[in-house]
Amino acid sequence: MMIEPIDLRQPRHGTPPKLQVEQLSKSFGSSSGSVQALAPFDLSVEAGDFLCVVGPSGCGKTTLLNIVAGFESPTSGSVYVDGKPVTGPGADRGVVFQQGALFNWMTILDNVAFGPRSTGFSQSVARQKAMELLELVGLSAFAKKYPYQLSGGMQQRVGIARALANNPQMLLMDEPFAALDQQTRELLQEEIRSIWQRTNKTILWITHSIEEALLLATHIIVMTARPGRTKASFVSPFARSSDPHVASSMEFAAAKRTIFQLLRGEAKQAQQMEEVP
Amino acid sequence: MTAATHKLAELDDVTVQHILGRRDRRLTFLTFAAILGVWTAVTGSGLWEPLIRPMFLPSPVAVAETFWQLLQTGYQGRSLAHHVAVSLYRFATAFLICILVGVPVGLLMGTSRRIRAVVEPPIQAIRPIPKLALLPLFLIWFGIGNLSKIIVIAAPVFPLIAISSMQAVRSVSAKKIQAAQSLGASRFTIFRRILLPASLPGIFTGIRVSISIGVTMLVGAELTATSDGIAWMALTAAEYLMTNVVLVAVLIMALLGYGLDRLFLLIETSIVHWTGKD
Ligand SMILES: Nc1ncnc2c1ncn2[C@@H]1O[C@H](COP(=O)(O)OP(=O)(O)O)[C@@H](O)[C@H]1O
Ligand SMILES: [Mg+2]
């Protein structure tokens, strides 16, 4: 059991992939010049893949996710979901943010019901769906609370339930657990893994934790320093392992070392880039 | 964290807040008691020689007596209640118009760049003009009745409420809007269920800030061309060096400002429980 290099730029099955990113680049213009966040970037994600993106900070991970979510438009290149070009945000792609994206003026129940309500379901049906999802993430007892009354870990669970409420086939998550403490993070990783296994959703997950990537992902992309492009990509076996102690295995440690080595060089370069403006 | 421990943590938070709240209130009370104490001490209150002559600062007891007298006999042919009511009417009408028009205008400016491009420049251009300087003009345009007074009070309050409402909308976090978009919300739904509630705390802050400005403008509005009103009472009493009456009127205005601020705070806390929770 080991991570194996794999080319994730082209579709791996005959059919169109769930997500196809073609020659995607993004530059941000400012008065002091423009910053190229993403180099022409190709990526193909098949339905049911759990893809983790790791890379030094500032390499364009969030930019990539924002473009796939439809929040930002690319400078060049295009993004296709199920073969259709992405032109803006849509209910077919659920997004989970790091923190601060819950609606504090709505109860937990209404936060989760917001998606179904916005996509045409009646209040009572939307709330019923929301209640089922709150049960899934173990928060049904808190349905009438407001987000700010919950701990950080619970808030992230609400965010996940909310993103699932429209039953999107794809989930986009930008370092969703980065602000949580170690214990809560491990618990939630376990939960997201079981949700993914049960629902077979396609997940694009950004993280700066190599361990998290190895635990959750079926595929891992290591990005270069800015402008972000693929440095290496792997298929990873650990997420499908039934061994609860897989993280303490020799293979896991070896895989961690491999990715760490790749990242370290890029992180150094990213740091130098910040020092020389 | 289990449900039980969470409940406990929450309870703790509530009790801590409650105790702090009580302590805070005790401190506030002490401040007022201290002010009253110093006031009594320097004016003697009939118990000892005043350090400050009553013409400059009458004692609290004398002011209370004057208040009692004014309540019974009124001031310049009209009851004290009439003076308070007429001022309150001018202030409240101006304020209500500012809220009813200023908040929607601000919300529209905050949501639409085009509307902002049309509406904001004139508002910003008017902002630095000292509005009291326009009172003579308003008197010519709108007559010496209540209308000119209402307009002079509204003149600085309106831009303040409109601009602060606009800023409240514009400072709604992009993440929340993006979250709503990716959940399939339409533009209208985003306005009604995200932008509007998320900017309410900022709107209330704008309203509360403008209360003191409104009260200040009330004094300006009653400077001339009137024969009633609580500020007019203070201004005319000052001409005859009736410091007692001036103080009663000033205290009533202070109470008015404070009362209105508390009132809006009460309305705010009863509907926008999420203030400061981001
Ligand atoms: N809206 C923006 N305007 C200007 N520069 C931006 C903007 N968003 C991101 N950038 C820049 O693009 C680069 C990549 O950012 P980001 O995608 O957030 O990186 P990551 O998520 O990998 O840390 C960074 O150098 C960042 O400063
Ligand atoms: Mg990022």
Side-chain angles (χ1 to χ4, degrees):
Chain A
M1 209 163 64
M2 200 50 227
I3 54 169
E4 307 280 352
I6 187 176
D7 185 357
L8 292 176
R9 288 171 300 180
Q10 301 298 325
R12 282 161 289 138
H13 310 315
T15 51
K18 186 73 198 165
L19 169 70
Q20 182 69 48
V21 171
E22 271 173 18
Q23 289 291 299
L24 187 71
S25 79
K26 177 75 182 178
S27 303
F28 291 103
S30 73
S31 49
S32 57
S34 89
V35 174
Q36 190 175 9
L38 272 181
F41 187 89
D42 288 282
L43 172 66
S44 188
V45 184
E46 301 291 346
D49 281 359
F50 195 133
L51 178 82
C52 276
V53 180
V54 294
S57 67
C59 77
K61 303 183 294 294
T62 296
T63 305
L64 170 67
L65 186 129
N66 281 346
I67 294 173
V68 173
F71 301 147
E72 276 170 36
S73 49
T75 304
S76 70
S78 27
V79 175
Y80 301 91
V81 172
D82 290 321
K84 287 189 286 283
V86 165
T87 52
D92 57 331
R93 285 150 286 148
V95 182
V96 180
F97 296 83
Q98 190 174 338
Q99 60 186 152
L102 295 180
F103 309 140
N104 278 330
W105 48 93
M106 293 180 200
T107 59
I108 300 305
L109 185 69
D110 284 338
N111 263 274
V112 181
F114 185 88
R117 191 84 187 88
S118 299
T119 50
F121 289 97
S122 71
Q123 175 89 298
S124 62
V125 173
R127 284 196 172 150
Q128 202 181 321
K129 283 174 184 282
M131 206 59 209
E132 281 162 20
L133 282 158
L134 284 178
E135 264 155 37
L136 179 80
V137 297
L139 286 179
S140 44
F142 296 89
K144 292 224 163 67
K145 297 266 180 212
Y146 289 92
Y148 55 82
Q149 296 174 309
L150 267 55
S151 68
M154 289 168 155
Q155 291 183 8
Q156 275 324 80
R157 285 204 187 116
V158 176
I160 291 165
R162 187 176 68 175
L164 288 169
N166 281 327
N167 197 20
Q169 288 313 296
M170 188 149 77
L171 284 177
L172 310 173
M173 316 232 204
D174 190 357
E175 307 200 31
F177 301 158
L180 304 178
D181 61 87
Q182 182 65 23
Q183 269 173 322
T184 312
R185 185 157 55 220
E186 279 170 18
L187 270 172
L188 284 185
Q189 283 167 354
E190 206 45 58
E191 280 181 33
I192 206 76
R193 197 149 81 135
S194 92
I195 289 172
W196 169 72
Q197 279 168 351
R198 263 178 297 163
T199 59
N200 204 38
K201 298 209 183 286
T202 313
I203 300 181
L204 176 60
W205 182 288
I206 286 165
T207 179
H208 57 238
S209 159
I210 301 171
E211 195 156 322
E212 186 169 271
L214 286 168
L215 273 173
L216 297 176
T218 57
H219 299 82
I220 298 172
I221 284 190
V222 182
M223 281 175 76
T224 65
R226 200 184 69 214
R229 62 176 87 235
T230 305
K231 165 112 176 165
S233 46
F234 302 95
V235 59
S236 168
F238 305 108
R240 296 201 196 271
S241 161
S242 53
D243 176 9
H245 303 294
V246 69
S248 35
S249 68
M250 299 280 287
E251 292 93 336
F252 194 90
K256 214 166 138 178
R257 210 159 35 239
T258 306
I259 295 177
F260 179 76
Q261 299 288 350
L262 284 166
L263 265 178
R264 199 169 59 171
E266 294 304 321
K268 271 187 187 153
Q269 204 181 322
Q271 215 171 21
Q272 282 165 1
M273 224 154 30
E274 269 171 35
E275 281 159 11
V276 187
Chain B
M1 203 192 258
T2 67
T5 55
H6 179 77
K7 276 239 167 69
L8 227 127
E10 197 182 75
L11 255 180
D12 275 356
D13 270 3
V14 171
T15 15
V16 166
Q17 263 174 19
H18 188 69
I19 293 165
L20 273 177
R22 251 196 328 215
R23 246 184 234 160
D24 287 348
R25 242 172 286 151
R26 220 177 291 160
L27 277 175
T28 312
F29 178 77
L30 275 177
T31 313
F32 280 110
I35 292 170
L36 199 65
V38 172
W39 185 6
T40 309
V42 297
T43 54
S45 294
L47 300 173
W48 54 82
E49 274 301 299
L51 290 171
I52 301 173
R53 276 194 293 156
M55 196 188 82
F56 292 108
L57 186 66
S59 73
V61 177
V63 171
E65 275 168 4
T66 307
F67 175 65
W68 184 243
Q69 234 168 36
L70 284 167
L71 266 184
Q72 270 154 359
T73 59
Y75 180 77
Q76 306 244 340
R78 286 202 173 97
S79 72
L80 190 59
H82 170 85
H83 290 295
V84 174
V86 83
S87 290
L88 207 56
Y89 167 75
R90 288 164 183 159
F91 179 87
T93 313
F95 229 71
L96 216 62
I97 293 170
C98 287
I99 292 173
L100 289 179
V101 183
V103 171
V105 165
L107 290 175
L108 287 173
M109 283 197 294
T111 18
S112 157
R113 278 189 194 187
R114 282 192 195 170
I115 294 177
R116 188 181 172 196
V118 172
V119 183
E120 198 191 355
I123 292 181
Q124 294 287 16
I126 292 169
R127 253 206 325 178
I129 301 174
K131 302 303 176 311
L132 209 49
L134 297 176
L135 183 59
L137 206 58
F138 290 161
L139 287 172
I140 296 170
W141 289 346
F142 307 110
I144 58 165
N146 279 333
L147 184 62
S148 55
K149 290 162 190 67
I150 289 167
I151 287 173
V152 82
I153 296 171
V157 172
F158 176 81
L160 201 78
I161 289 183
I163 299 287
S164 68
S165 301
M166 175 189 82
Q167 270 155 358
V169 178
R170 287 169 53 77
S171 58
V172 175
S173 99
K175 267 192 208 170
K176 291 189 166 64
I177 299 168
Q178 290 173 342
Q181 284 175 333
S182 69
L183 289 165
S186 65
R187 279 181 62 118
F188 178 69
T189 303
I190 289 175
F191 178 77
R192 192 175 60 86
R193 296 195 69 197
I194 309 295
L195 292 177
L196 192 60
S199 44
L200 274 183
I203 292 171
F204 271 103
T205 306
I207 290 175
R208 284 178 50 215
V209 166
S210 51
I211 287 174
S212 68
I213 290 165
V215 174
T216 309
M217 290 310 290
L218 176 71
V219 178
E222 294 183 351
L223 269 174
T224 52
T226 181
S227 57
D228 50 11
I230 196 73
W232 173 81
M233 188 173 119
L235 290 161
T236 47
E239 284 172 29
Y240 299 99
L241 291 180
M242 298 192 289
T243 320
N244 293 5
V245 177
V246 174
L247 269 176
V248 168
V250 167
L251 285 175
I252 289 176
M253 281 187 282
L255 218 60
L256 203 79
Y258 180 77
L260 285 165
D261 183 67
R262 291 290 110 173
L263 178 71
F264 274 98
L265 191 63
L266 201 72
I267 297 173
E268 181 181 349
T269 47
S270 68
I271 54 177
V272 285
H273 54 85
W274 57 91
T275 298
K277 295 283 166 40
D278 264 326

